[in-house]
Amino acid sequence: MIEPCDLLIHSVSQLVTCAGPPGPRRGAAMRDVGIIPDGAVAIRGSTIIAVGSSNELRRRFRPAQEIDAGGHAVCPGLIDCHTHIVYAGDRVAEFEQRCAGATYQEIMAAGGGILRTMQLTRAATTTTLVAETLPRLNQMLRFGTTTAEVKTGYGLEQDAELRQLATIELLAAVQPIELVPTFLPAHAIPPEFADRPDAYIDLVVESMLPLAQERYRNSLFAGHHIPLFVDVFCERGAFDVAQSRRVLSAARERGLPRKAHVDEFTELGGLAMALEMEATSVDHLDVTGAAAFPALAASNTIAVLLPLVSINLGITHFAAARQMIDAGVAIALSTDANPGSAPSLSLPLTMAIACRYLRMVPAEALLATTVNAAHAIGLGGRIGALMPGMQADLIILAEADYRWLMYELGGTPIAQVIKRGQIVWKS
């Protein structure tokens, strides 16, 4: 019996399903991306209803629309699980300072870095923030990103942080990339609290978090079952372990899922604290030592690695991805897109760097930006793989082999992007 479907994509050289059992991928399983040669995928509405060979699905389905992939590869839509793309202005001058030898910490101590973006973002209206961020999202879409986590953290005062949260919701409604909000008021110590960081944490815990949660309850995110995360930057010069624990503990008491920036420059003990707080992800981990890997591997927490930061800052040391994967840690990759430490919106470039400098193979890099990235933002089992019942987010590449995503340095090897069963971008 022939079944109707809304969209049938066929004649795919490699249908890279990333299919597997529930949960994030670990260890040797990170090398199996589930390729179906001469594959096809059938979509009804916003949901995948079948995957298989082109011959099988073309006999089985009568599509309202079909796409002949022309022997190109098809992968799940990419997921950028750690970004800071809502901000005003830029930090081009600081880039030149770093080229001349200044370190990230030196620039931050002189009032630059996050605090520079804070000044510009505080002064921006919601309309301005939407207008400046939309081109970034459009560029991400061209790079194959179909879902992105977006953090606040450049307001560092109550009204400005809530304005960033409102901006994320507005952006989610006016463009095709699915956004996941993260509340990060504890991103840096604002100048008003330079000598009173504990007082700022009081404000975050007692006032900002309740207001953010109330806004979330009435948001389109809650209506679509997209979580609101709470994050903290646990690092020397930002917030110590005790202060970070207060933020995440308050989030846990409110039933909000948690993330943490840890071990970017210094091992302060933030990783152990975040695992204690049952964080959904721990992000950066550039200096995390091997002694921490067994506890991380035994947890449900995803390790989100951000190699573009090291490249951009001219650092020759990278997170120990190879050792983490071999120890059983669930790894995700992300751009960390932001105006200072990672001014890039490209997950293909992120994967290319991870393969070259973090010693990951292409299959691991793809699973780290699909299945595992989905789990890092609480959407595992819903996006990140091409399986019946999952959301129809996928990319058609411009090449026959999915490894072109990592092979080409700085390119955009994407021919079409499909989100929720709809074509949202074509080259």
Side-chain angles (χ1 to χ4, degrees):
M1 178 178 175
I2 297 178
E3 304 173 46
C5 71
D6 295 317
L7 177 62
L8 179 67
I9 304 167
H10 62 80
S11 304
V12 177
S13 61
Q14 297 175 334
L15 183 67
V16 187
T17 66
C18 296
R25 214 63 65 82
R26 301 172 185 269
M30 283 196 74
R31 297 195 177 211
D32 181 7
V33 292
I35 295 175
I36 299 176
D38 189 19
V41 56
I43 297 165
R44 185 175 297 138
S46 62
T47 304
I48 295 169
I49 56 173
V51 297
S53 71
S54 289
N55 285 339
E56 173 197 352
L57 267 60
R58 295 185 81 179
R59 287 196 304 266
R60 178 178 164 189
F61 290 99
R62 183 180 67 253
Q65 179 184 8
E66 62 181 291
I67 296 175
D68 183 339
H72 293 173
V74 169
C75 302
L78 304 181
I79 300 165
D80 204 342
C81 59
H82 180 128
T83 84
H84 303 258
I85 58 169
V86 173
Y87 59 87
D90 61 56
R91 303 223 295 265
V92 173
E94 292 180 9
F95 167 68
E96 186 172 22
Q97 287 179 276
R98 285 200 306 275
C99 291
T103 67
Y104 181 87
Q105 293 96 325
E106 287 169 348
I107 291 170
M108 191 170 177
I114 292 170
L115 298 183
R116 169 61 179 162
T117 301
M118 175 207 75
Q119 294 167 351
L120 298 169
T121 303
R122 282 184 179 182
T125 64
T126 302
T127 301
T128 298
L129 290 173
V130 168
E132 291 199 27
T133 307
L134 270 174
R136 298 173 195 134
L137 286 163
N138 291 336
Q139 183 74 355
M140 292 171 79
L141 192 67
R142 292 182 58 206
F143 285 125
T145 296
T146 55
T147 303
E149 182 260 16
V150 185
K151 302 178 191 294
T152 72
Y154 289 129
L156 305 183
E157 66 178 9
Q158 186 163 287
D159 289 347
E161 284 293 312
L162 294 174
R163 189 161 64 250
Q164 278 191 278
L165 207 54
T167 300
I168 297 168
E169 184 176 7
L170 287 169
L171 289 163
V174 299
Q175 54 77 54
I177 295 179
E178 191 168 3
L179 304 184
V180 176
T182 292
F183 195 53
L184 178 59
H187 192 196
I189 301 167
E192 301 89 341
F193 291 86
D195 300 319
R196 300 179 296 131
D198 288 325
Y200 181 63
I201 294 297
D202 290 342
L203 178 65
V204 169
V205 167
E206 296 169 10
S207 184
M208 291 194 197
L209 278 182
L211 289 171
Q213 185 172 34
E214 185 59 31
R215 176 180 287 277
Y216 168 73
R217 288 190 181 118
N218 299 306
S219 72
L220 65 84
F221 296 119
H224 293 160
H225 306 290
I226 294 173
L228 170 67
F229 285 91
V230 175
D231 200 346
V232 63
F233 189 12
C234 184
E235 182 56 68
R236 185 172 294 154
F239 299 96
D240 64 26
V241 173
Q243 292 159 345
S244 300
R245 179 182 281 108
R246 284 190 62 202
V247 173
L248 298 188
S249 180
R252 183 167 66 175
E253 289 172 7
R254 293 185 165 276
L256 294 170
R258 298 154 301 282
K259 292 175 169 286
H261 291 55
V262 298
D263 294 1
E264 181 175 5
F265 301 111
T266 315
E267 273 194 290
L268 294 182
L271 174 56
M273 178 275 300
L275 295 180
E276 176 192 332
M277 291 290 112
E278 300 176 300
T280 301
S281 74
V282 284
D283 303 35
H284 283 292
L285 306 179
D286 298 282
V287 297
T288 303
F293 297 168
L296 186 52
S299 75
N300 294 319
T301 301
I302 308 297
V304 178
L305 308 183
L306 309 161
L308 292 185
V309 175
S310 295
I311 289 288
N312 183 62
L313 297 181
I315 297 171
T316 57
H317 178 83
F318 292 83
R322 178 76 272 137
Q323 295 93 324
M324 289 184 194
I325 293 171
D326 293 344
V329 176
I331 296 291
L333 291 168
S334 190
T335 61
D336 195 15
N338 73 77
S341 61
S344 174
L345 303 164
S346 174
L347 278 173
L349 178 60
T350 302
M351 290 189 280
I353 297 302
C355 289
R356 289 161 172 84
Y357 288 91
L358 275 65
R359 298 178 56 211
M360 296 175 70
V361 300
E364 293 169 339
L366 184 64
L367 286 165
T369 53
T370 54
V371 174
N372 286 6
H375 284 280
I377 55 174
L379 298 181
R382 176 167 157 181
I383 58 173
L386 304 181
M387 299 169 63
M390 298 193 73
Q391 190 165 286
D393 298 353
L394 51 92
I395 53 176
I396 302 175
L397 303 192
E399 303 291 342
D401 192 314
Y402 84 93
R403 291 171 293 187
W404 270 87
L405 280 169
M406 309 83 185
Y407 169 65
E408 187 176 16
L409 274 171
T412 53
I414 313 294
Q416 295 189 52
V417 179
I418 294 165
K419 180 67 181 181
R420 298 189 185 95
Q422 300 296 314
I423 300 170
V424 293
W425 186 80
K426 293 176 72 172
S427 63

